[in-house]
Amino acid sequence: MTVAAATPIELIQAVYATLDERLETGRRRLGRPLTLAEKILVNHLDDPEDAGLERGVSYVDLRPDRVALQDATAQMAWLQFMTAGLDEVRIPTTTHCDHLIQARDDGRTDLLTAVDGNREVYGFLGSVCARYGAGFWKPGSGIIHQVVLEQYAFPGGMMIGTDSHTPNAGGLAMVAIGVGGADAVDVMTGFPWNVRWPKLIGIHLTGELSGWAAPKDVILKVADILTVNGGTGAIVEYFGPGARSLSATGKATICNMGAEIGATTSLFAYDDAIARYLKSTGREAVADAADAVAHHLRADDAVEADPGTFFDQIIELDLSTLSPHINGPHTPDLSRPVADLGAEAEREGWPLEVSAGLIGSCTNSSYEDITRAASIARDALAKGLTAKAPLLITPGSEQVRATIERDGLLADFEALGAKVLANACGPCIGQWDRQDMEDGVPNSIVTSYNRNFPKRNDGYATTHAFVTSPETVMALTIAGRLDFDPANDTLTNDAGEEVRLSVGPGDELPSDGFDPGEATFQAPPADGSSVEVAVSPTSDRLQVLAPFPAWDGEDITDLAVLVKAQGKCTTDHISMAGPWLHYRGHLENISGNVYMGAVNAFTDEVGTGLDVTDGKTRAYPEIARRYHEAGIAWVAIGDENMGEGSSREHAAMEPRFRGARVVMARSFARIHETNLKKQGILPLTFANRDDYDLIGPEDRISALGLADLAPDTQVEVVITSPDGGTTSIAMDHTYSPDQIEWFKAGSALNLIRQRT
Ligand code: MIC
Ligand code: SF4
């Protein structure tokens, strides 16, 4: 397989060639016109005639066009792929180095430090890609989703990526879904990708943005309405005149942060803005091909005329009245207009002073974002203002970096004292060696990122992170305060005058075209079979995987309760990022962080629990290790939306490795639930949500009747208290018949090994 630095036009034409026939099949089978999401899914069904199409119920097999992996999840994905015994990936696959670069000094210095410090991991990823026919984007090339948007995404396509913000490509009318590594391995080995036929949420956009309002405000507002689990199991489709008024990268911002409402993915229809973006990024041929089938790359006309009959839920948003919003701290759905933040911060005791402003991430680092933010920087300087807080800028890709440097925009930020970091995730994923603040000091930061869980950016629990648009980040950083409303308030300049900040319209695309910058792509050789992939047995960063044991056919009995988490238990709580990114390729070492951030429901303490072997309180990773060594199997209990956030399968592999057999929760986030199933752990939800309260720290848990595990049946769970009393409760599961095979085999990968 040749994997180039762009999606070949032949691949796109092949996808378009089946549209006429398959969409007819879809309309016939559903007995009505189709939304765009339905069209793309139907066109990628493994079996369009017979697949079940009941929303939220049927499981279907899909055939994605591409797979993208980022370095922090790619290591486990490739380690799993390697055990499948194939010579080549069966679907075009790329690996992107973006998560492992730590922000500290400046872009160039930090990149060199990362290349040196991560030599072993980059060497592994580069060689494994060359060996198995995948494309490799070297460190410095940019954030996976920005690079995918610039090079690989195409209207009407379907891809999966081992990162929860893969839906970014929905900005180019693609169905792009975030998955765990084991899902990616299915597709890379030539198997279809299995998912529940989604529900559909329609967001009808009217009007047009103006002033300080930005595309980011659309998703900040949607997160407010739908909350962090309101999109679970659904694809969010944006439509209406307002949708057509947004730039392609603005659409991508909105789809990107759809991950924060738990949506399977989000997307917009193909339109002129997308065509302009494709042409500007050197893909005229893709735009021409899309133009030729444009009627297939938007919903059928009946959908916009009468949306109520097509969507499970509809939200109306008028962009003309949308005000700038800001969400946080600690959760991305705690939203309010910027103008109201000051009063709320005062009430809640959040520090009003802004200690840092950060612009970038896969969500907001497009050319347009940067031009709008730079216009504010220029305006501030011209009016005699400076930034009151440190400002950090991370360009989304090498192409964006080179272009904004050429166009003088980096200079605008630097004139305001900003630091320009490497083209990478950086502070968005805790890769921020923050020098200007100590742990334990309450402080507030504003970012244009998407997530704001505690410790996410600088590793400090005392940092309050607020997410907002790049425009609002600029304004609040210049003002140095949270209680500043850029649309209405004034600032005092160096001459003592009261001045008002203004924001320019920005440039959707660079008028001189993009500058590709440095070449950072490595194509695989035509024949990679002689490439050696080295995993040293003494490495502390990479470890060859041993298969998990198959199910022995017996009920799972007498599990100890390792952890009962209360409140939010995101993947950042289960397997923290930041310094732990170091061990993403070494299952045993990374298990040193398992459930480290979970709040113990019995004690309210973070990260510690009862070790039932001796009654002592210990850190969860240590108890897990001790149970593992003693052969004690265990269960983890979670609250609502367990495993919210990232796609990282480490949050499932670590518990599995250390002896978890079952995870019980009030509800799960989609990717985490699938990751648990894939690794052979039983995810169960309380049929009666209050049964969560029944479980005590010294109880023993048994899951019974597993030989009869089947779709639409419940699992009986017996809770045995220390005095021997038992309570039986019913638990639900979402296994499809195929997925039950994963459980029986011990993991989905064990099945692939049997089949390849
Ligand atoms: C994130 O934003 O949390 C990450 C880091 O990009 C993750 C992937 C990971 O944990 O490696 C994600 O969103 O899936
Ligand atoms: Fe990277 Fe942050 Fe985007 Fe995740 S959300 S891919 S860490 S920039």
Side-chain angles (χ1 to χ4, degrees):
M1 177 163 300
T2 48
V3 173
T7 299
I9 188 70
E10 297 75 24
L11 187 160
I12 298 171
Q13 273 155 350
V15 172
Y16 292 171
T18 53
L19 280 167
D20 277 336
E21 186 194 324
R22 289 194 166 211
L23 301 197
E24 251 343 290
T25 306
R27 290 188 194 100
R28 173 171 47 78
R29 292 201 50 210
L30 290 168
R32 55 166 173 77
L34 302 174
T35 74
L36 175 60
E38 289 173 328
K39 289 184 180 185
I40 299 175
L41 291 176
V42 165
N43 195 34
H44 287 85
L45 278 173
D46 190 41
D47 180 359
E49 276 300 342
D50 292 317
L53 301 180
E54 201 182 333
R55 285 192 196 166
V57 177
S58 320
Y59 275 92
V60 294
D61 281 339
L62 291 158
R63 294 282 178 183
D65 305 313
R66 305 200 63 92
V67 176
L69 314 168
Q70 48 86 342
D71 51 3
T73 48
Q75 301 168 57
M76 267 310 166
W78 280 115
L79 287 164
Q80 294 177 80
F81 179 89
M82 282 166 64
T83 69
L86 288 186
D87 242 2
E88 240 192 5
V89 289
R90 297 276 158 86
I91 290 288
T93 301
T94 49
T95 299
H96 302 255
C97 296
D98 54 0
H99 281 63
L100 301 180
I101 301 170
Q102 199 178 38
R104 190 191 145 106
D105 297 321
D106 61 81
R108 178 104 331 241
T109 317
D110 293 346
L111 178 62
L112 292 175
T113 309
V115 167
D116 194 38
N118 298 315
R119 194 170 295 284
E120 181 185 8
V121 170
Y122 293 147
F124 167 72
L125 291 174
S127 59
V128 87
C129 285
R131 168 71 185 80
Y132 297 108
F136 179 62
W137 288 84
K138 296 179 199 163
S141 54
I143 307 172
I144 177 169
H145 311 301
Q146 189 66 33
V147 175
V148 165
L149 199 75
E150 290 168 355
Q151 313 286 343
Y152 294 115
F154 63 95
M158 185 194 163
M159 65 177 286
I160 57 169
T162 57
D163 190 280
S164 65
H165 293 101
T166 303
N168 193 66
L172 291 193
M174 188 166 198
V175 165
I177 302 180
V179 298
D183 281 45
V185 171
D186 280 353
V187 175
M188 289 154 70
T189 49
F191 290 96
W193 181 63
N194 183 263
V195 73
R196 225 178 209 173
W197 191 252
K199 290 186 272 181
L200 290 177
I201 298 176
I203 304 201
H204 184 219
L205 300 179
T206 52
E208 229 171 294
L209 295 170
S210 63
W212 285 88
K216 183 70 163 283
D217 297 306
V218 175
I219 186 62
L220 295 173
K221 182 69 197 166
V222 170
D224 178 33
I225 299 169
L226 286 174
T227 76
V228 287
N229 56 9
T232 308
I235 293 190
V236 179
E237 187 165 328
Y238 291 84
F239 65 100
R244 294 186 281 276
S245 74
L246 299 167
S247 65
T249 51
K251 297 184 213 297
T253 293
I254 296 169
C255 294
N256 174 297
M257 200 179 153
E260 271 50 67
I261 54 167
T264 301
T265 192
S266 305
L267 83 170
F268 281 79
Y270 178 62
D271 63 8
D272 292 348
I274 297 179
R276 286 196 295 276
Y277 182 76
L278 285 170
K279 288 178 186 156
S280 172
T281 49
R283 291 174 288 174
E284 291 81 0
V286 180
D288 291 345
D291 284 338
V293 293
H295 58 298
H296 288 324
L297 302 177
R298 56 176 181 258
D300 284 336
D301 292 345
V303 176
E304 197 163 324
D306 182 19
T309 53
F310 294 90
F311 295 105
D312 299 282
Q313 181 181 359
I314 295 175
I315 295 173
E316 294 281 344
L317 268 189
D318 179 359
L319 301 182
S320 307
T321 59
L322 184 67
S323 59
H325 276 60
I326 183 161
N327 293 14
H330 308 327
T331 182
D333 57 352
L334 183 60
S335 182
R336 83 289 288 165
V338 176
D340 299 344
L341 178 61
E344 190 175 336
E346 217 156 332
R347 255 194 335 270
E348 299 291 336
W350 304 326
L352 280 173
E353 196 182 315
V354 170
S355 65
L358 302 104
I359 291 181
S361 92
C362 56
T363 318
N364 273 123
S365 50
S366 66
Y367 188 78
E368 181 176 49
D369 287 334
I370 300 290
T371 55
R372 296 251 300 166
S375 77
I376 304 167
R378 279 195 303 276
D379 182 63
L381 279 175
K383 290 176 178 159
L385 296 165
T386 50
K388 291 270 171 31
L391 179 64
L392 302 174
I393 313 278
T394 37
S397 67
E398 169 60 6
Q399 177 159 297
V400 165
R401 188 208 59 77
T403 309
I404 61 179
E405 181 173 49
R406 179 200 65 195
D407 293 352
L409 302 167
L410 281 185
D412 291 333
F413 293 119
E414 280 162 347
L416 209 61
K419 189 186 262 191
V420 180
L421 300 169
N423 317 319
C425 300
C428 182
I429 189 55
Q431 292 278 39
W432 184 15
D433 186 1
R434 195 172 180 188
Q435 306 284 318
D436 62 335
M437 181 62 61
E438 303 270 299
D439 195 2
V441 182
N443 73 102
S444 296
I445 62 171
V446 285
T447 81
S448 75
Y449 306 165
N450 43 46
R451 290 202 173 127
N452 52 6
F453 307 137
K455 299 194 183 179
R456 166 105 183 160
N457 304 119
D458 55 10
Y460 305 157
T462 39
T463 294
H464 298 64
F466 295 87
V467 292
T468 186
S469 67
E471 292 86 332
T472 303
V473 170
M474 279 305 292
L476 300 195
T477 310
I478 292 166
R481 294 186 65 83
L482 291 182
D483 56 355
F484 174 69
D485 173 12
N488 294 303
D489 296 345
T490 55
L491 294 169
T492 314
N493 71 5
D494 51 11
E497 300 149 354
E498 291 296 298
V499 293
R500 201 183 290 273
L501 279 179
S502 61
V503 57
D507 294 317
E508 179 187 349
L509 294 161
S511 50
D512 295 337
F514 280 101
D515 177 342
E518 283 176 33
T520 50
F521 178 73
Q522 172 194 296
D527 175 4
S529 55
S530 61
V531 176
E532 211 183 314
V533 182
V535 177
S536 156
T538 57
S539 168
D540 74 334
R541 297 195 68 174
L542 296 167
Q543 182 184 45
V544 170
L545 289 171
F548 294 131
W551 181 49
D552 59 7
E554 303 291 324
D555 281 342
I556 299 176
T557 56
D558 217 24
L559 302 176
V561 176
L562 177 89
V563 50
K564 178 171 168 181
Q566 175 186 300
K568 249 193 206 303
C569 188
T570 71
T571 45
D572 280 80
H573 295 76
I574 304 171
S575 175
M576 215 160 265
W580 290 93
L581 290 172
H582 192 81
Y583 301 113
R584 282 291 185 87
H586 197 294
L587 185 53
E588 185 171 349
N589 286 350
I590 198 162
S591 296
N593 73 3
V594 72
Y595 295 112
M596 211 166 94
V599 179
N600 183 330
F602 307 115
T603 63
D604 288 341
E605 297 288 326
V606 175
T608 58
L610 177 76
D611 182 337
V612 293
T613 62
D614 61 3
K616 291 210 168 107
T617 297
R618 293 198 168 85
Y620 288 131
E622 197 183 339
I623 307 176
R625 183 182 54 77
R626 287 167 53 93
Y627 286 1
H628 184 197
E629 283 166 8
I632 300 171
W634 49 271
V635 58
I637 318 285
D639 206 328
E640 216 69 76
N641 208 21
M642 174 86 165
E644 171 187 341
S646 156
S647 66
R648 63 191 76 143
E649 63 193 332
H650 305 78
M653 292 180 89
E654 297 172 30
R656 175 70 161 125
F657 172 69
R658 286 298 189 207
R661 303 294 306 280
V662 178
V663 175
M664 294 158 54
R666 283 187 159 136
S667 62
F668 288 99
R670 172 186 61 90
I671 308 180
H672 185 57
E673 184 181 31
T674 308
N675 286 344
L676 290 169
K677 288 180 184 170
K678 287 250 155 178
Q679 302 300 340
I681 293 182
L682 262 188
L684 301 175
T685 49
F686 296 99
N688 169 6
R689 60 189 311 285
D690 293 340
D691 287 349
Y692 165 92
D693 296 325
L694 296 176
I695 295 164
E698 290 175 83
D699 291 351
R700 292 288 174 147
I701 308 290
S702 302
L704 307 180
L706 297 181
D708 300 322
L709 188 66
D712 304 323
T713 58
Q714 290 187 315
V715 173
E716 183 191 358
V717 164
V718 174
I719 307 166
T720 308
S721 58
D723 65 7
T726 60
T727 314
S728 169
I729 60 172
M731 307 269 325
D732 293 324
H733 69 82
T734 57
Y735 277 95
S736 68
D738 288 349
Q739 295 173 344
I740 293 173
E741 298 307 312
W742 306 342
F743 171 69
K744 291 186 179 158
S747 72
L749 184 60
N750 287 349
L751 265 193
I752 293 186
R753 288 196 188 102
Q754 290 163 17
R755 290 178 184 167
T756 49

